[in-house]
Amino acid sequence: MLKKTALHAEHARLGARLVDFAGWEMPIQYQSQLDEHHAVREGAGMFDVAHMAAVDLQGPRVREFLRQVLANDVARLTLPGKALYSCLLREDAGILDDLIAYFMREDWFRLVVNAGTADKDLAWLERQAQAYGVDVRRRADLGILAVQGPQARARVLPLLPAGLREAAAGLQVFQAAEDGQTFVGRTGYTGEDGFELILPHADLMSLWQGLLAAGVRPCGLGARDTLRLEAGMNLYGQDMDESTQPLESGLGWTLAWEPADRDFIGRAALEPLRGKSPRQFVGLVLEGRGIARAHMRVRFAGGAAGETTSGGFAPTMKQSIALARVDAGASGACEVEIRGQWVAARIVKPPFVRNGKILV
């Protein structure tokens, strides 16, 4: 039986089309995926992402633990509430997951991990944490709601607990504040400003209904995917997984190589690949007709080749775009094979769209 979030009945009431996503019955769209996409780019939209998991790590050595288990370096997080994006790697540098780590107190960090990988992540973290005496606790009592778009923050702030509004209004990007059980992070996955809110399931419904009354549009995972593709964000299980490493997944910027003596898990496997990764991750914009999807062949005039990892129609750009893993050094004009036909494309550097503006 599929798992359901606390908002499941609300999704059904609003007529959402529900699908199986990583074992959860989630809304893919309500009425129009295109309208939901544009609502986020132009106003404010909200996504039930309570299938994702908040994980609290606590103990006096938690920072030391995370400096060993994450490829990015939490030593950079010196102010409470600051966050960073990181990969969780195996010893061979295969990507177990991508996540956000929040520094809350010297003995408390919070991670937000993907839905489909949560069980695997927890088992991995618990195994590694034993040597550090760190307590790993999945916060199954909390749900997550993402509100994104240029009007998102203005719509959310009046609905927050009074004691949290001022702190939330002053948050910088990738920073969080909390009051009791309500946690607000100025992060997102759409290329727009907004909040990700973590709060008890019982409070999710009242916040959702308050946002609905304030004109925030409910959006499904379909719009979330076209928005994240335009934003050039990787999707775990599609653009990266355990069979790929960060340097060939466009995630080299998340690897903290300094200090050189920080021996994070996966470092030994990555060091020989620094500047020598056999594959690179690129963005593609199709110049001919057709819609790029994942796992389509890519070829270059000089003989280099590759494969798309994500693709689709970009509603903001009104063009087909893709993310692709191709041979290192590949450049210039290329083609994508769509249903037996080779369609012209050009390489670009993601993101494709940020804060409502087309960048490529």
Side-chain angles (χ1 to χ4, degrees), residues 20 43 53 74 79 90 104 112 137 139 171 253 259 311 322 337 347 351:
D20 179 357
V74 298
L79 294 175
R90 304 188 311 199
M104 303 310 297
V112 176
R137 180 187 175 202
R139 295 300 304 268
L171 290 176
W253 64 275
E337 186 181 32
I347 283 185

Side-chain angles (χ1 to χ4, degrees), residues 49-105:
V49 286
H51 56 315
M52 299 174 68
V55 180
D56 282 348
L57 306 175
Q58 292 183 302
R61 297 179 66 194
V62 63
R63 184 186 290 271
E64 183 185 353
F65 163 65
L66 285 174
R67 294 196 72 208
Q68 197 252 344
V69 81
L70 297 183
N72 209 338
D73 191 357
V74 298
R76 297 171 173 177
L77 304 179
T78 56
L79 294 175
K82 286 294 291 180
L84 60 70
Y85 174 72
S86 180
C87 288
L88 183 69
L89 303 178
R90 304 188 311 199
E91 288 87 349
D92 66 356
I95 303 172
L96 286 161
D97 202 2
D98 64 324
L99 55 81
I100 294 177
Y102 294 93
F103 164 50
M104 303 310 297
R105 289 196 313 260

Side-chain angles (χ1 to χ4, degrees), residues 103-185:
F103 164 50
M104 303 310 297
R105 289 196 313 260
E106 204 52 54
D107 62 349
W108 172 31
F109 281 71
R110 170 166 288 175
L111 308 182
V112 176
V113 305
N114 283 302
T117 54
D119 291 343
K120 176 184 69 174
D121 292 353
L122 255 72
W124 176 264
L125 290 168
E126 286 170 350
R127 189 159 65 248
Q128 307 298 330
Q130 290 177 5
Y132 294 86
V134 170
D135 179 63
V136 179
R137 180 187 175 202
R138 180 174 183 166
R139 295 300 304 268
D141 56 322
L142 302 177
I144 309 175
L145 185 65
V147 189
Q148 299 278 288
Q151 299 175 17
R153 297 175 67 235
R155 303 291 176 90
V156 169
L157 288 171
L159 301 175
L160 294 177
L164 187 55
R165 286 175 200 156
E166 184 176 354
L171 290 176
Q172 300 298 309
V173 176
F174 259 68
Q175 192 174 20
E178 47 96 19
D179 180 46
Q181 292 280 64
T182 304
F183 179 101
V184 183

Side-chain angles (χ1 to χ4, degrees), residues 61-345:
R61 297 179 66 194
V62 63
R63 184 186 290 271
E64 183 185 353
F65 163 65
L66 285 174
R67 294 196 72 208
Q68 197 252 344
V69 81
L70 297 183
N72 209 338
D73 191 357
V74 298
R76 297 171 173 177
L77 304 179
T78 56
L79 294 175
K82 286 294 291 180
L84 60 70
Y85 174 72
S86 180
C87 288
L88 183 69
L89 303 178
R90 304 188 311 199
E91 288 87 349
D92 66 356
I95 303 172
L96 286 161
D97 202 2
D98 64 324
L99 55 81
I100 294 177
Y102 294 93
F103 164 50
M104 303 310 297
R105 289 196 313 260
E106 204 52 54
D107 62 349
W108 172 31
F109 281 71
R110 170 166 288 175
L111 308 182
V112 176
V113 305
N114 283 302
T117 54
D119 291 343
K120 176 184 69 174
D121 292 353
L122 255 72
W124 176 264
L125 290 168
E126 286 170 350
R127 189 159 65 248
Q128 307 298 330
Q130 290 177 5
Y132 294 86
V134 170
D135 179 63
V136 179
R137 180 187 175 202
R138 180 174 183 166
R139 295 300 304 268
D141 56 322
L142 302 177
I144 309 175
L145 185 65
V147 189
Q148 299 278 288
Q151 299 175 17
R153 297 175 67 235
R155 303 291 176 90
V156 169
L157 288 171
L159 301 175
L160 294 177
L164 187 55
R165 286 175 200 156
E166 184 176 354
L171 290 176
Q172 300 298 309
V173 176
F174 259 68
Q175 192 174 20
E178 47 96 19
D179 180 46
Q181 292 280 64
T182 304
F183 179 101
V184 183
R186 192 177 173 187
T187 54
Y189 194 49
T190 63
E192 298 295 335
D193 200 359
F195 291 133
E196 291 192 341
L197 301 114
I198 303 175
L199 63 169
H201 296 299
D203 297 332
L204 271 177
M205 180 64 82
S206 59
L207 177 59
W208 174 277
Q209 290 180 336
L211 290 166
L212 202 60
V216 178
R217 182 151 188 162
C219 300
L221 297 182
R224 184 172 165 86
D225 193 54
T226 53
L227 289 158
R228 74 92 196 165
L229 181 60
E230 287 187 342
M233 303 285 193
N234 287 27
L235 176 64
Y236 191 83
Q238 195 159 305
D239 302 302
M240 57 183 165
D241 56 26
E242 291 187 41
S243 70
T244 61
Q245 45 87 0
L247 293 171
E248 60 184 359
S249 302
L251 296 170
W253 64 275
T254 70
L255 301 173
W257 298 108
E258 300 296 334
D261 61 351
R262 186 178 70 93
D263 187 22
F264 62 84
I265 294 175
R267 179 167 192 144
L270 285 171
E271 284 282 6
L273 299 174
R274 291 179 68 175
K276 302 175 185 175
S277 178
R279 298 186 291 181
Q280 61 178 335
F281 201 68
V282 299
L284 299 176
V285 176
L286 265 66
E287 296 185 320
R289 295 173 64 87
I291 304 296
R293 303 294 183 193
H295 307 302
M296 289 179 167
R297 291 197 296 163
V298 181
R299 70 180 184 186
F300 294 79
E307 182 183 80
T308 57
T309 55
S310 286
F313 178 74
T316 307
M317 301 171 64
K318 297 180 173 54
Q319 284 181 282
S320 181
I321 61 174
L323 299 173
R325 188 171 290 111
V326 301
D327 293 337
S331 62
C334 62
E335 294 177 308
V336 179
E337 186 181 32
I338 301 177
R339 297 181 178 177
Q341 302 293 317
W342 288 97
V343 178

